Amino acid sequence: ETGVTQTPRHLVMGMTNKKSLKCEQHLGHNAMYWYKQSAKKPLELMFVYNFKEQTENNSVPSRFSPECPNSSHLFLHLHTLQPEDSALYLCASSQDALGRIAEAFFGQGTRLTVV
Amino acid sequence: QQQVKQSPQSLIVQKGGISIINCAYENTAFDYFPWYQQFPGKGPALLIAIRPDVSEKKEGRFTISFNKSAKQFSLHIMDSQPGDSATYFCAAPKGDNFNKFYFGSGTKLNVKP
């Protein structure tokens, strides 16, 4: 596989559930990102990891917990979500997070529905 | 507070026509303005970007026009094709951080055959 792969593609979860989103990149990049894309709203950057270290958390609620075990994998652990968290969650990667964020490659996203 | 205002929200163009999408931004100390293309069921992809030491950048049928004094930039798609039907969104750098961007809310383009 090439590029940025996200699993699952679709996820429906209850507000009391715990689930995880997975992202894997095969591009040899060193930076990975989580974005949230809600209908009719601008893309929102959630977290930035550069060389496995979290360098940015854009005031994301603690019910979203990222994990980056290595430069190729990124997870987003979800627990006690709210219906307003329903959105498309996009993972992206770039060569590094130093001025390259705009050139990131995106995965296809996980469509999350919280019921 | 919306830092990048994108218009129109949706656009219908006949095949062969010109599609024009506009963005207006607020203050930024940095000059790198990308446009992204997103097909249904896919993630966004960087389409074209401009550094406004020039007022226009062209790549194939896609052109960015930049008006620094008006803080506006636009995407023109010449000879629009049905395969161009997608959502397009612009981005502008945040204030004093060249590695953070405000994104527009997107324009859904439908090119009719």
Side-chain angles (χ1 to χ4, degrees), chain A residues 44-85:
Chain A
E44 300 172 56
L45 179 63
M46 301 173 70
F47 300 104
V48 177
Y49 278 83
N50 198 35
F51 293 91
K52 300 190 300 179
E53 299 297 320
Q54 186 182 119
T55 58
E56 190 161 334
N57 175 339
N58 277 322
S59 303
V60 180
S62 59
R63 58 186 183 269
F64 295 90
S65 175
E67 179 189 0
C68 188
N70 54 61
S71 293
S72 298
H73 294 86
L74 185 65
F75 296 89
L76 188 63
H77 304 299
L78 315 171
H79 64 98
T80 59
L81 295 191
Q82 304 298 310
E84 59 264 30
D85 296 322

Side-chain angles (χ1 to χ4, degrees), chain A residues 9 35 37 40-43 56 88 90 97-103 106-108, chain B residues 9 32 34 36 38 41-46 51 89 98-101 103-105:
Chain A
R9 292 292 309 278
Y35 283 87
Q37 188 174 41
K40 305 283 175 63
K41 292 179 67 176
L43 200 60
E56 190 161 334
L88 181 68
L90 292 160
L98 304 174
R100 300 278 191 173
I101 192 171
E103 300 169 2
F106 285 83
Q108 293 180 301
Chain B
Q9 189 173 7
Y32 181 79
Y36 296 86
Q38 185 174 20
K42 302 288 187 182
L46 180 63
R51 296 185 187 276
F89 51 96
F98 70 98
N99 206 31
K100 292 188 179 182
F101 287 83
F103 291 89
S105 52

Side-chain angles (χ1 to χ4, degrees), chain B residues 7-13 18-21 86 107-111:
Chain B
S7 62
Q9 189 173 7
S10 62
L11 182 61
I12 299 174
V13 174
I18 302 174
S19 304
I20 302 175
I21 304 169
T107 296
K108 188 172 183 179
L109 172 65
N110 185 3
V111 181

